[in-house]
Amino acid sequence: MTGSRSRTRTRSLALAAVAVLGASVLSTGTAHAEPLTLLQCQGTETVTYDPGVTFQQRDIEMTITAQFSSCIDGAGEVTSGSYGNQVTVFVGCNELLGGFEGKRTVTWSTGDTSVIEESGSSTAVAGQVVTTTIGKVVQGRFQGRSTLHVSTLPQPGLLQCLTTGFTSATGVTTLTIT
Protein backbone atom coordinates (compact mmCIF):
# COMPACT_ATOMS: atom_id res chain seq x y z
CA MET A 1 0.00 0.00 0.00
CA THR A 2 2.85 2.37 0.70
CA GLY A 3 4.23 1.77 -2.80
CA SER A 4 0.86 2.68 -4.26
CA ARG A 5 0.65 5.87 -2.18
CA SER A 6 4.20 6.77 -3.11
CA ARG A 7 3.50 6.37 -6.84
CA THR A 8 0.26 8.37 -6.53
CA ARG A 9 2.04 11.16 -4.65
CA THR A 10 4.90 11.18 -7.20
CA ARG A 11 2.41 11.42 -10.07
CA SER A 12 0.53 14.21 -8.29
CA LEU A 13 3.75 16.16 -7.74
CA ALA A 14 4.80 15.60 -11.34
CA LEU A 15 1.40 16.78 -12.64
CA ALA A 16 1.51 19.83 -10.38
CA ALA A 17 5.02 20.69 -11.60
CA VAL A 18 3.93 20.32 -15.23
CA ALA A 19 0.87 22.50 -14.58
CA VAL A 20 2.94 25.24 -12.91
CA LEU A 21 5.63 25.08 -15.58
CA GLY A 22 3.00 25.07 -18.34
CA ALA A 23 1.18 28.04 -16.83
CA SER A 24 4.39 30.06 -16.52
CA VAL A 25 5.38 29.24 -20.11
CA LEU A 26 1.91 30.15 -21.39
CA SER A 27 1.74 33.39 -19.44
CA THR A 28 5.27 34.33 -20.53
CA GLY A 29 4.52 33.36 -24.14
CA THR A 30 1.29 35.29 -24.38
CA ALA A 31 2.64 38.35 -22.61
CA HIS A 32 5.33 38.82 -25.26
CA ALA A 33 3.84 37.21 -28.36
CA GLU A 34 2.09 39.31 -30.95
CA PRO A 35 -1.35 38.21 -32.16
CA LEU A 36 -1.32 35.92 -35.17
CA THR A 37 -3.94 38.01 -36.98
CA LEU A 38 -3.76 41.77 -36.54
CA LEU A 39 -6.74 42.51 -38.75
CA GLN A 40 -9.36 40.65 -40.74
CA CYS A 41 -11.87 42.45 -42.95
CA GLN A 42 -14.79 41.24 -45.06
CA GLY A 43 -16.72 43.16 -47.64
CA THR A 44 -17.73 43.54 -51.26
CA GLU A 45 -15.58 44.10 -54.36
CA THR A 46 -16.83 45.39 -57.70
CA VAL A 47 -14.85 45.26 -60.95
CA THR A 48 -15.98 47.11 -64.08
CA TYR A 49 -14.49 46.58 -67.55
CA ASP A 50 -14.50 49.26 -70.29
CA PRO A 51 -15.04 48.23 -73.02
CA GLY A 52 -16.62 44.90 -72.07
CA VAL A 53 -14.40 41.81 -72.09
CA THR A 54 -15.04 39.54 -75.12
CA PHE A 55 -13.14 36.59 -76.56
CA GLN A 56 -11.11 39.02 -78.67
CA GLN A 57 -8.12 40.27 -76.68
CA ARG A 58 -7.87 44.06 -76.43
CA ASP A 59 -6.95 46.83 -74.01
CA ILE A 60 -9.53 46.97 -71.23
CA GLU A 61 -9.68 49.55 -68.46
CA MET A 62 -10.49 47.80 -65.19
CA THR A 63 -11.85 49.78 -62.26
CA ILE A 64 -11.73 47.88 -58.99
CA THR A 65 -13.48 49.20 -55.87
CA ALA A 66 -14.09 47.53 -52.55
CA GLN A 67 -15.72 48.35 -49.27
CA PHE A 68 -14.73 46.38 -46.18
CA SER A 69 -17.83 46.82 -44.04
CA SER A 70 -16.71 44.54 -41.22
CA CYS A 71 -13.18 44.56 -39.78
CA ILE A 72 -11.93 42.85 -36.65
CA ASP A 73 -8.80 44.62 -35.41
CA GLY A 74 -6.67 43.16 -32.61
CA ALA A 75 -6.29 46.71 -31.23
CA GLY A 76 -10.01 47.47 -31.64
CA GLU A 77 -9.39 50.59 -33.74
CA VAL A 78 -10.09 49.75 -37.40
CA THR A 79 -13.76 48.93 -38.07
CA SER A 80 -13.93 49.30 -41.87
CA GLY A 81 -11.91 50.24 -44.95
CA SER A 82 -11.97 50.70 -48.71
CA TYR A 83 -9.79 50.75 -51.79
CA GLY A 84 -9.99 51.64 -55.45
CA ASN A 85 -7.66 50.89 -58.35
CA GLN A 86 -7.71 51.57 -62.06
CA VAL A 87 -5.52 49.58 -64.45
CA THR A 88 -5.40 48.91 -68.17
CA VAL A 89 -4.86 45.29 -69.20
CA PHE A 90 -4.68 43.52 -72.56
CA VAL A 91 -7.13 40.68 -72.03
CA GLY A 92 -9.97 38.56 -73.39
CA CYS A 93 -12.46 36.19 -71.75
CA ASN A 94 -10.02 33.27 -72.09
CA GLU A 95 -7.18 35.22 -70.46
CA LEU A 96 -8.84 36.54 -67.31
CA LEU A 97 -7.01 33.99 -65.22
CA GLY A 98 -3.33 34.37 -64.58
CA GLY A 99 -0.66 35.95 -62.45
CA PHE A 100 -0.16 39.63 -61.70
CA GLU A 101 1.65 42.07 -59.41
CA GLY A 102 0.64 45.50 -58.18
CA LYS A 103 0.07 47.98 -55.38
CA ARG A 104 -3.15 48.69 -53.55
CA THR A 105 -3.85 51.51 -51.09
CA VAL A 106 -6.44 50.77 -48.42
CA THR A 107 -8.01 53.66 -46.52
CA TRP A 108 -9.14 52.69 -43.01
CA SER A 109 -11.97 54.01 -40.84
CA THR A 110 -9.31 55.67 -38.66
CA GLY A 111 -8.20 57.88 -41.59
CA ASP A 112 -4.92 55.96 -41.91
CA THR A 113 -3.85 54.21 -45.11
CA SER A 114 -1.87 51.07 -45.88
CA VAL A 115 0.03 50.66 -49.15
CA ILE A 116 0.22 46.95 -50.01
CA GLU A 117 2.54 45.45 -52.62
CA GLU A 118 1.06 42.15 -53.71
CA SER A 119 1.18 39.40 -56.27
CA GLY A 120 -1.41 36.79 -57.06
CA SER A 121 -3.40 34.82 -59.54
CA SER A 122 -6.97 33.87 -60.34
CA THR A 123 -8.58 30.47 -60.83
CA ALA A 124 -12.01 29.40 -62.02
CA VAL A 125 -13.91 27.35 -59.44
CA ALA A 126 -17.54 26.29 -59.84
CA GLY A 127 -18.59 29.24 -62.00
CA GLN A 128 -16.63 31.80 -60.01
CA VAL A 129 -13.27 33.52 -60.40
CA VAL A 130 -11.31 33.29 -57.14
CA THR A 131 -8.41 35.73 -56.94
CA THR A 132 -5.83 35.20 -54.21
CA THR A 133 -2.99 37.62 -53.52
CA ILE A 134 -0.23 37.64 -50.96
CA GLY A 135 1.70 40.75 -50.12
CA LYS A 136 3.28 43.04 -47.62
CA VAL A 137 2.29 46.43 -46.23
CA VAL A 138 5.13 48.69 -47.41
CA GLN A 139 3.84 52.00 -46.10
CA GLY A 140 1.42 53.33 -43.49
CA ARG A 141 -0.62 51.50 -40.88
CA PHE A 142 0.51 47.85 -40.37
CA GLN A 143 3.82 48.54 -42.22
CA GLY A 144 5.99 45.43 -42.46
CA ARG A 145 3.06 43.04 -41.98
CA SER A 146 2.02 40.29 -44.40
CA THR A 147 -1.32 40.23 -46.21
CA LEU A 148 -3.62 37.61 -47.70
CA HIS A 149 -6.42 38.92 -49.90
CA VAL A 150 -9.12 36.69 -51.46
CA SER A 151 -11.89 37.93 -53.77
CA THR A 152 -14.60 35.77 -55.34
CA LEU A 153 -16.48 37.10 -58.38
CA PRO A 154 -18.87 35.44 -60.87
CA GLN A 155 -17.16 33.96 -63.93
CA PRO A 156 -18.04 35.64 -67.27
CA GLY A 157 -20.85 33.92 -69.13
CA LEU A 158 -20.24 32.45 -72.61
CA LEU A 159 -23.06 34.51 -74.12
CA GLN A 160 -21.62 37.74 -72.72
CA CYS A 161 -18.16 36.91 -74.08
CA LEU A 162 -19.64 36.25 -77.55
CA THR A 163 -21.77 39.41 -77.74
CA THR A 164 -21.46 42.79 -75.98
CA GLY A 165 -18.86 41.65 -73.48
CA PHE A 166 -18.59 41.12 -69.77
CA THR A 167 -18.78 44.61 -68.22
CA SER A 168 -18.89 44.13 -64.45
CA ALA A 169 -18.83 41.70 -61.56
CA THR A 170 -19.50 42.02 -57.83
CA GLY A 171 -18.57 39.54 -55.14
CA VAL A 172 -17.13 39.01 -51.68
CA THR A 173 -13.63 39.94 -50.58
CA THR A 174 -11.58 39.19 -47.46
CA LEU A 175 -8.31 40.81 -46.34
CA THR A 176 -6.20 39.38 -43.54
CA ILE A 177 -3.13 41.15 -42.13
CA THR A 178 -0.74 39.19 -39.91
Side-chain angles (χ1 to χ4, degrees):
M1 199 160 189
T2 24
S4 174
R5 279 189 194 164
S6 176
R7 280 192 299 261
T8 303
R9 184 174 176 181
T10 303
R11 273 191 236 152
S12 295
L13 287 173
L15 287 174
V18 168
V20 169
L21 180 60
S24 70
V25 168
L26 286 176
S27 67
T28 302
T30 49
H32 298 291
E34 295 186 31
L36 294 177
T37 300
L38 292 178
L39 179 76
Q40 184 165 40
C41 295
Q42 295 179 348
T44 304
E45 181 177 270
T46 299
V47 181
T48 59
Y49 307 93
D50 186 28
V53 181
T54 63
F55 280 114
Q56 178 185 352
Q57 281 188 309
R58 58 185 170 178
D59 282 333
I60 306 283
E61 186 174 295
M62 287 177 46
T63 302
I64 306 162
T65 58
Q67 180 65 45
F68 294 116
S69 55
S70 173
C71 293
I72 298 172
D73 177 8
E77 296 172 357
V78 173
T79 58
S80 62
S82 63
Y83 62 83
N85 294 49
Q86 218 170 31
V87 295
T88 300
V89 293
F90 186 76
V91 72
C93 281
N94 286 333
E95 292 81 29
L96 280 176
L97 308 176
F100 59 89
E101 293 181 349
K103 280 188 179 183
R104 181 182 319 267
T105 301
V106 180
T107 302
W108 303 111
S109 56
T110 57
D112 298 304
T113 60
S114 295
V115 178
I116 302 170
E117 286 185 356
E118 57 191 0
S119 61
S121 63
S122 299
T123 56
V125 179
Q128 299 179 343
V129 175
V130 179
T131 303
T132 304
T133 64
I134 56 170
K136 189 169 198 159
V137 180
V138 296
Q139 183 180 345
R141 187 176 196 101
F142 307 116
Q143 184 170 351
R145 298 301 183 157
S146 297
T147 64
L148 172 64
H149 187 195
V150 179
S151 297
T152 304
L153 302 172
Q155 192 170 359
L158 179 63
L159 186 58
Q160 291 173 308
C161 290
L162 287 170
T163 58
T164 59
F166 188 69
T167 58
S168 68
T170 299
V172 296
T173 186
T174 302
L175 174 66
T176 303
I177 299 179
T178 57

